Amino acid sequence: MHAHEREMHKRVLISNRGEIAIRIARAAHALGIETVGIFAATDALALHPRVTTSSVQIPGDAVSAYLDGARIIEAAKAHGVDCIHPGYGFLAENAQFAAACAASGIAFIGPPVDAIELFGDKVRARALASSLGIPTLAGSAHALASHEEAAAIGQELGFPVMLKAAAGGGGRGMRAVHRAQDMVEAFTRCSSEAKAAFGDGSLFVEKLLVRPRHIEVQVLADCHGAVVHLFERDCSIQLRNQKVVEIAPAPNLDSALRTRLLRDAVTLAKAAGYCNAGTVEFLVSPESNEYYFIECNPRIQVEHTITEQITGVDLVEAQFHIAAGASLGSIGLGDQQVIACRGYAIQARVVAQGPGRITAYKEPSGAGIRVDSCGYSGYEPPPQYDPLFAKLIVTSGANTNFTSAVQRTLLALRDFHIAGLPTNLGQLQAILTDPRVRAGDARTTLLNESPALQYGVPIASAAIALFEQSSATDNGTPRGRAVATPRSLPFADGEQVVLCPMRASVVDVIAVVGATVNAGDALLVLSAMKMETPVTAPCAGVVTAMQSFTVGDTVDEGDAMVVVAPGRGTGVPTRAGNADWTSVLQEV
């Protein structure tokens, strides 16, 4: 046994779902650790409970089941586990859950409670960074009590500003606000999303940096005071603050700037007494060569894969070793100089863009190609969760350039066959052919500046054409899939019926029958793929009919939700868009 290492844990409960739960299970099995998976009833047909040694259903609805720390710890005790790995999202950054694990004698595969508390409070984290001489953006010094306070601080900082969840990340509970009058709606939606995703609706506001790059540094720390970095990742390609494509290392980054970023990330982790894997995130202004700390994520990241590919370090296995008491030196990572960066790696996030069941599925393969996925033929991604279901990770050769990595990724995307489910494969291909991306100069504003990139049409290989021929559909409906009859409502000539554009769940019911509404008024709020979308009145008038919705109800594509009789009111009628997921997301 290495110095500074206790005996490895024997059995882990994975308190997560989807591809990250599968990723953790595989790392654990490679270390000889038994695994216990959990799943909500909604995930009864998911893949992740099938790859663990055993699995247990957690009561509760789709999201609350994975947020129920008490029941998860009960399940852990019942199955005799000695550690819990939270993955990302859900309880991964919940200090109370980590403390409850410790109180139950169960190791938490992640940082200590005080580090989670520190970095879970984005305001405190910024204050620490500033005290260390690390540049930060101007912003609120505390969590905001109301939208009025947020608007006042926005006026003080100068619009535009960014409203952000204080207790989470991943783009949830986050909105750019360009005018004071937009703050009420943005504050309401951000707080609600943050509460649903992280159990805490607290928000803060900071100055919005124009056209930055988003660069993050992977750090690894043991519990004996040693910290190393594993280089950086460029996560600038984002859609509605959700990362779409990530690159390691960051191409076209000034070498002196890179040195400062890596140094500051290690300095911050050491000052915080950090232990385990973490990511320190910065915004970079290439024009001025300035950078600003924005947050530290005290957990494994979705994009940890590309760091693994360029360094050869299995980060999840390292997490298990460190949680068992290993020093970085004992696992061969004690000297920063021995951690080398070879070639480039690109991760493309494959997401569902609407409801559907996968009727055919084949992942690309070949040298330098890795796929982390929970997809399979027959799988229907539940709309209550993040739409990510597969990550394509492509690595260039050690002596090749960034262009080679981009070209390899494009070829792999063309060989990824997913039938029966609308996905973003075309979008990913369009992004990777953009000259700004290929030049290593993508900004976080890329997809807003060039919205056509969002609607790229997939370019398929000859192999895909063969696969499509074999999985042909009849009348646009995948074979073997029943077509549900949409719910209807009575309406008279001239009345306008609001139809549900995608399968979703109801998170708020605002309107009632008989209410007078103006064009654009919110009638109810839906949540699909963990994004909240207000359903608005198509015209001014009176609500004459409405489904008897309660919070948590599921609404299917094509369901009639509300009927409005046009009448007196204010506002301009909203133009009806295409009834698909993309148009609704655009409203956000």
Side-chain angles (χ1 to χ4, degrees):
M1 186 179 300
H2 294 300
H4 290 309
E5 182 170 7
R6 300 190 303 271
E7 186 177 355
M8 187 67 74
H9 293 108
K10 301 296 185 186
R11 182 176 298 154
V12 61
L13 182 141
I14 303 165
S15 60
N16 217 298
R17 65 176 300 279
E19 60 82 21
I20 189 60
I22 295 170
R23 165 76 185 96
I24 295 165
R26 287 175 174 156
H29 291 156
L31 294 170
I33 301 171
E34 293 183 357
T35 55
V36 178
I38 64 169
F39 64 97
T42 318
D43 268 336
L45 297 178
L47 189 58
H48 72 268
R50 271 79 180 176
V51 302
T52 48
T53 310
S54 60
S55 60
V56 58
Q57 181 175 333
I58 303 294
D61 67 28
V63 175
S64 68
Y66 293 101
L67 290 171
D68 194 337
R71 286 190 183 274
I72 290 171
I73 289 176
E74 283 179 18
K77 289 178 178 177
H79 284 74
V81 309
D82 50 13
C83 61
I84 290 179
H85 197 307
Y88 53 72
F90 296 127
L91 296 172
E93 297 178 70
N94 188 303
Q96 290 75 27
F97 179 66
C101 289
S104 300
I106 298 171
F108 181 80
I109 309 297
V113 172
D114 56 354
I116 299 174
E117 288 177 337
L118 168 62
F119 291 122
D121 184 337
K122 302 296 189 291
V123 178
R124 278 183 63 202
R126 287 192 323 169
L128 173 62
S130 184
S131 74
L132 297 168
I134 301 171
T136 59
L137 288 165
S140 53
H142 56 270
L144 304 168
S146 65
H147 64 82
E148 290 91 350
E149 184 183 14
I153 294 176
Q155 294 281 20
E156 183 181 326
L157 295 173
F159 287 94
V161 296
M162 183 65 82
L163 197 62
K164 301 173 76 172
R172 310 298 179 199
M174 188 172 173
R175 296 280 195 286
V177 185
H178 294 269
R179 305 177 304 166
Q181 55 264 46
D182 297 334
M183 188 61 81
V184 177
E185 176 65 19
F187 194 94
T188 302
R189 294 276 63 84
C190 281
S191 184
S192 178
E193 280 183 13
K195 179 70 174 175
F198 315 116
D200 184 345
S202 302
L203 305 176
F204 73 101
V205 68
E206 68 184 12
K207 181 65 180 170
L208 183 66
L209 189 64
V210 178
R211 301 191 75 247
R213 293 179 69 179
H214 184 142
I215 309 294
E216 62 186 31
V217 178
Q218 177 70 59
V219 296
L220 203 58
D222 63 25
C223 297
H224 312 286
V227 182
V228 294
H229 69 75
L230 286 87
F231 300 96
E232 81 285 351
R233 300 182 286 255
D234 186 334
C235 303
S236 302
I237 302 171
Q238 303 177 6
L239 180 60
R240 289 174 287 274
N241 305 310
Q242 297 276 305
K243 298 167 186 174
V244 179
V245 175
E246 300 102 343
I247 305 158
N252 190 34
L253 188 66
D254 179 81
S255 59
L257 176 62
R258 172 183 282 112
T259 299
R260 297 201 302 272
L261 289 177
L262 299 177
R263 177 202 64 204
D264 283 354
V266 171
T267 298
L268 183 70
K270 284 185 176 178
Y274 199 79
C275 178
N276 215 273
T279 300
V280 185
E281 305 201 354
F282 300 90
L283 292 180
V284 172
S285 177
E287 285 74 18
S288 63
N289 243 17
E290 294 175 318
Y291 63 95
Y292 304 91
F293 165 78
I294 50 173
E295 64 182 359
C296 175
N297 289 306
R299 53 171 169 81
I300 198 75
Q301 292 274 94
V302 180
E303 59 274 15
H304 74 277
T305 56
I306 51 177
T307 295
E308 292 182 327
Q309 296 305 117
I310 63 167
T311 62
V313 176
D314 188 312
L315 287 168
V316 180
E317 285 193 12
Q319 284 190 290
F320 278 111
H321 281 294
I322 291 168
S327 66
L328 291 179
S330 71
I331 58 174
L333 300 173
D335 182 357
Q336 183 69 67
Q337 301 308 311
V338 305
I339 304 172
C341 175
R342 298 179 181 87
Y344 285 90
I346 298 175
Q347 175 175 278
R349 301 191 187 194
V350 181
V351 302
Q353 291 192 314
R357 180 180 288 116
I358 298 174
T359 55
Y361 183 80
K362 186 178 187 301
E363 297 168 352
S365 58
I369 294 175
R370 165 181 171 182
V371 181
D372 284 17
S373 173
C374 60
Y376 64 89
S377 183
Y379 182 55
E380 185 171 358
Q384 296 92 335
Y385 304 118
D386 189 294
L388 173 70
F389 69 92
K391 303 187 308 198
L392 172 66
I393 305 104
V394 179
T395 310
S396 70
N399 299 315
T400 54
N401 58 22
F402 174 58
T403 301
S404 172
V406 172
Q407 195 60 29
R408 285 190 182 197
T409 308
L410 277 169
L411 293 172
L413 285 167
R414 292 173 186 175
D415 279 339
F416 208 142
H417 185 223
I418 306 167
L421 180 73
T423 71
N424 66 330
L425 287 175
Q427 176 193 98
L428 293 169
Q429 291 178 33
I431 288 169
L432 290 171
T433 56
D434 186 88
R436 290 159 294 184
V437 174
R438 299 177 78 92
D441 190 34
R443 309 298 178 90
T444 60
T445 51
L446 174 74
L447 296 181
N448 287 332
E449 293 169 352
S450 302
L453 294 178
Q454 300 178 37
Y455 311 109
V457 177
I459 300 171
S461 65
I464 292 292
L466 174 64
F467 301 154
E468 288 288 358
Q469 181 180 333
S470 300
S471 61
T473 60
D474 299 317
N475 298 322
T477 302
R479 289 185 306 214
R481 186 182 182 195
V483 180
T485 302
R487 286 187 279 192
S488 61
L489 283 170
F491 65 97
D493 287 346
E495 293 183 336
Q496 297 203 30
V497 183
V498 181
L499 301 179
C500 182
M502 73 291 184
R503 195 163 195 262
S505 57
V506 177
V507 297
D508 195 7
V509 181
I510 300 168
V512 294
V513 173
T516 300
V517 296
N518 294 319
D521 281 356
L523 305 174
L524 62 153
V525 180
L526 302 180
S527 176
M529 309 304 183
K530 289 180 73 178
M531 294 292 286
E532 294 187 3
T533 304
V535 174
T536 58
C539 62
V542 176
V543 176
T544 60
M546 188 171 179
Q547 300 289 355
S548 299
F549 290 125
T550 57
V551 173
D553 285 351
T554 297
V555 194
D556 284 315
E557 181 181 3
D559 281 355
M561 298 185 292
V562 184
V563 178
V564 179
R568 291 180 178 274
T570 60
V572 180
T574 55
R575 182 176 62 83
N578 295 327
D580 64 11
W581 176 229
T582 304
S583 64
V584 173
L585 272 181
Q586 201 59 41
E587 290 299 314
V588 176

